[in-house]
Amino acid sequence: MSNKGLLVILSGPSGSGKDTVLDCIHKRDIPIQRSISMTTRKKRDGETDGVDYYFVTKEYFEKQIIFHHFLKQHN
């Protein structure tokens, strides 16, 4: 058996039910590790930095791009 994990991307527009799907997965005790996205938008009511998103400035985000701190697609 391989020790490698399986990468699954759950994507959809705002309000499409992504959190509902994740809640169902957690209720079934399926062991998953959730990644946390980084955003330059303002935090909404009920959101927590480092839990829902990493809320950063546009300047910080752009520096992360320059220093290649994001995943990059390889052809």
Side-chain angles (χ1 to χ4, degrees), residues 1 3 8 12 20 25 27 34-35 37-39 47 49 53 56 60-61 68-69 75:
M1 178 180 251
N3 289 331
V8 176
T20 301
I25 290 170
K27 286 178 184 175
R34 183 178 175 193
S35 69
S37 297
M38 186 179 289
T39 184
E47 290 181 324
D49 186 43
Y53 291 92
V56 299
Y60 179 86
F61 191 89
H68 306 285
H69 290 168
N75 294 329

Side-chain angles (χ1 to χ4, degrees), residues 13-55:
S14 179
S16 64
K18 298 179 297 291
D19 286 329
T20 301
V21 171
L22 287 173
D23 289 343
C24 288
I25 290 170
H26 283 289
K27 286 178 184 175
R28 294 181 179 184
D29 293 323
I30 298 171
I32 64 167
Q33 182 68 38
R34 183 178 175 193
S35 69
I36 303 170
S37 297
M38 186 179 289
T39 184
T40 58
R41 72 165 172 77
K42 297 293 182 189
K43 190 170 25 169
R44 297 177 185 148
D45 288 342
E47 290 181 324
T48 303
D49 186 43
V51 174
D52 300 295
Y53 291 92
Y54 293 110
F55 296 95

